[in-house]
Amino acid sequence: MFIYYVFSSFGQMRTCKVTSTKERRFTDVTYKVIIKGMTSCEERDILNGITGAVNPGEVLALMGPSGSGKTTLLNLLGGRLIQSTVSGSITYNDQPYSKFLKSRIGFVTQDDVLFPHLTVKETLTYAARLRLPKVLTRQQKEKRAVDVIYELGLERCQDTMIGGSFVRGVSGGERKRVCIGNEIIINPSLLFLDEPTSGLDSTTALRTIQTLQDIAGVGKTVITTIHQPSSRLFHKFDKLILLGKGSLLYFGKASEAIVYFSSIGCSPLIAMNPAEFLLDLANGNLTDISVPSELEDKVQMENSEIETGNGKPPPAVVHEVMFNFDSSFYSTRGAL
Ligand SMILES: Nc1ncnc2c1ncn2[C@@H]1O[C@H](COP(=O)(O)OP(=O)(O)OP(=O)(O)O)[C@@H](O)[C@H]1O
């Protein structure tokens, strides 16, 4: 299988890089859902054998086409999806998920819930009062809120209302930073974010990811899903997981993803944002991508009758073949 190939070729060079303490490691994570119909129940695989690791000081991006399983994986890693249909192991510092670990996790969801009539400062002050331990005094909690405001560069809008549909308030980027502030106020060791840049322009998105890098820079572990990053933003991530239909296509350094795919014969045919190339590949859209001739031949052979007008096979077919391709192809390539 493609994913095993990806990992077999990574195995040797990565083992030494995932041994530091406080590592978040996940091995062979699989998640199924049971879909109940009128007359029968159907089991559906949402994630298949996802393996990876991330250390303090790193930002791990979960990338993939819509519906590939990014949010599901994020929820699993963040301990928000504890079900019997989950298998594999997820550990932090070699320990399984626990109540103590839960208190060390910050989770920024895609749909933020903020009170529109509170100012930025009031929002973070209330978060500090509610979430910080009782042993801290009111003054200490308020100071923590002010520290977070400066940490996230929110000082200019600290007295502006959050706003909403009926009240004009802070900008989209500031709103996202308030949501991040709501979580980092408890000084979490692990910060999870679901699409923190969605709806932001590229400069604001870059600033948001820079904020995440700064948070990681002081020893935190940051795991975030990302939809379609600009190339500048893509290069800000330390590690990358590329998912396609719930399977793992790549895990490793974000900076090495393109080199890796070109080493197995998959390269962009035109100058392209690396994220765009990886998403096209994960989608099975080969319009501007070259793939190994063995793979293209196999696709053509099996599906000559459903070839598309541009001479390329349809994405769904490419995807199917990539995942179910003859393992000898991968083992040969994996030895490179
Ligand atoms: N409880 C569930 N029951 C049925 N299907 C589910 C369930 N949870 C997730 N799925 C399906 O699993 C797939 C992955 O969903 P997920 O939300 O993780 O994708 P995603 O990559 O985050 O997508 P997007 O980028 O659009 O947010 C989707 O096809 C979704 O419909």
Side-chain angles (χ1 to χ4, degrees):
M1 289 250 301
F2 192 61
I3 50 169
Y4 291 127
Y5 164 59
V6 171
F7 270 89
S8 63
S9 63
F10 264 110
Q12 293 156 324
M13 71 174 175
R14 304 253 166 251
T15 23
C16 58
K17 300 199 174 165
V18 290
T19 50
S20 92
T21 56
K22 295 194 180 169
E23 164 197 76
R24 185 72 163 159
R25 180 185 278 272
F26 37 102
T27 313
D28 204 16
V29 173
T30 298
Y31 174 57
K32 297 176 197 294
V33 288
I34 316 278
I35 298 170
K36 289 184 182 147
M38 295 286 275
T39 51
S40 61
C41 284
E42 189 200 324
E43 210 176 65
R44 189 169 154 205
D45 291 339
I46 305 293
L47 292 172
N48 304 305
I50 312 293
T51 298
V54 57
N55 297 310
E58 290 178 335
V59 180
L60 166 70
L62 310 181
M63 207 172 83
S66 186
S68 57
K70 303 179 293 293
T71 303
T72 308
L73 180 60
L74 190 82
N75 285 334
L76 274 170
L77 299 181
R80 295 192 142 211
L81 204 57
I82 300 168
Q83 286 185 15
S84 58
T85 52
V86 178
S87 64
S89 97
I90 302 174
T91 56
Y92 178 69
N93 225 0
D94 289 332
Q95 300 297 315
Y97 187 77
S98 63
K99 210 172 167 187
F100 170 74
L101 179 58
K102 193 177 171 195
S103 67
R104 308 297 305 142
I105 288 178
F107 204 110
V108 182
T109 56
Q110 209 168 337
D111 308 310
D112 54 60
V113 184
L114 298 173
F115 289 106
H117 293 284
L118 294 184
T119 65
V120 168
K121 191 171 181 180
E122 285 165 347
T123 303
L124 293 173
T125 305
Y126 283 130
R129 282 193 203 154
L130 284 169
R131 300 189 65 190
L132 287 173
K134 287 190 183 119
V135 287
L136 295 184
T137 63
R138 193 178 170 130
Q139 285 74 21
Q140 284 170 322
K141 290 178 183 179
E142 283 170 6
K143 176 163 185 319
R144 176 72 190 137
V146 172
D147 289 346
V148 168
I149 285 171
Y150 281 89
E151 202 176 320
L152 296 176
L154 290 167
E155 58 274 22
R156 276 183 58 201
C157 63
Q158 59 180 310
D159 296 318
T160 309
M161 264 198 285
I162 296 291
S165 314
F166 302 106
V167 197
R168 177 73 190 109
V170 293
S171 72
E174 288 163 345
R175 193 182 170 94
K176 279 283 175 215
R177 274 182 279 148
V178 175
C179 294
I180 295 171
N182 256 340
E183 296 302 314
I184 65 167
I185 207 125
I186 57 161
N187 199 19
S189 304
L190 280 150
L191 182 63
F192 293 85
L193 304 102
D194 197 3
E195 302 202 8
T197 60
S198 65
L200 302 182
D201 63 80
S202 63
T203 313
T204 316
L206 193 67
R207 184 160 183 210
T208 308
I209 297 300
Q210 185 57 55
T211 303
L212 300 186
Q213 275 226 317
D214 296 343
I215 293 169
V218 292
K220 315 287 176 200
T221 305
V222 178
I223 305 180
T224 179
T225 64
I226 198 89
H227 215 250
Q228 186 137 30
S230 66
S231 53
R232 278 194 304 164
L233 206 146
F234 178 81
H235 289 112
K236 294 257 170 219
F237 299 123
D238 299 297
K239 284 191 176 155
L240 173 74
I241 279 188
L242 180 67
L243 295 174
K245 292 192 180 170
S247 296
L248 186 71
L249 290 175
Y250 178 87
F251 161 66
K253 283 187 176 174
S255 57
E256 289 172 5
I258 301 295
V259 177
Y260 164 70
F261 279 105
S262 70
S263 79
I264 59 162
C266 302
S267 316
L269 289 170
I270 54 170
M272 225 190 244
N273 168 355
E276 208 180 335
F277 162 71
L278 295 172
L279 287 170
D280 270 1
L281 203 61
N283 261 318
N285 174 13
L286 303 184
T287 310
D288 294 311
I289 292 175
S290 72
V291 293
S293 51
E294 301 101 302
L295 176 59
E296 199 146 14
D297 291 349
K298 176 106 181 163
V299 173
Q300 302 288 1
M301 244 163 41
E302 288 188 1
N303 302 284
S304 50
E305 73 284 1
I306 46 172
E307 193 179 280
T308 53
N310 60 5
K312 296 272 184 185
V317 172
V318 178
H319 202 276
E320 208 53 41
V321 174
M322 276 176 95
F323 281 100
N324 300 307
F325 205 44
D326 179 5
S327 57
S328 61
F329 169 82
Y330 297 113
S331 49
T332 321
R333 292 285 176 147
L336 287 174

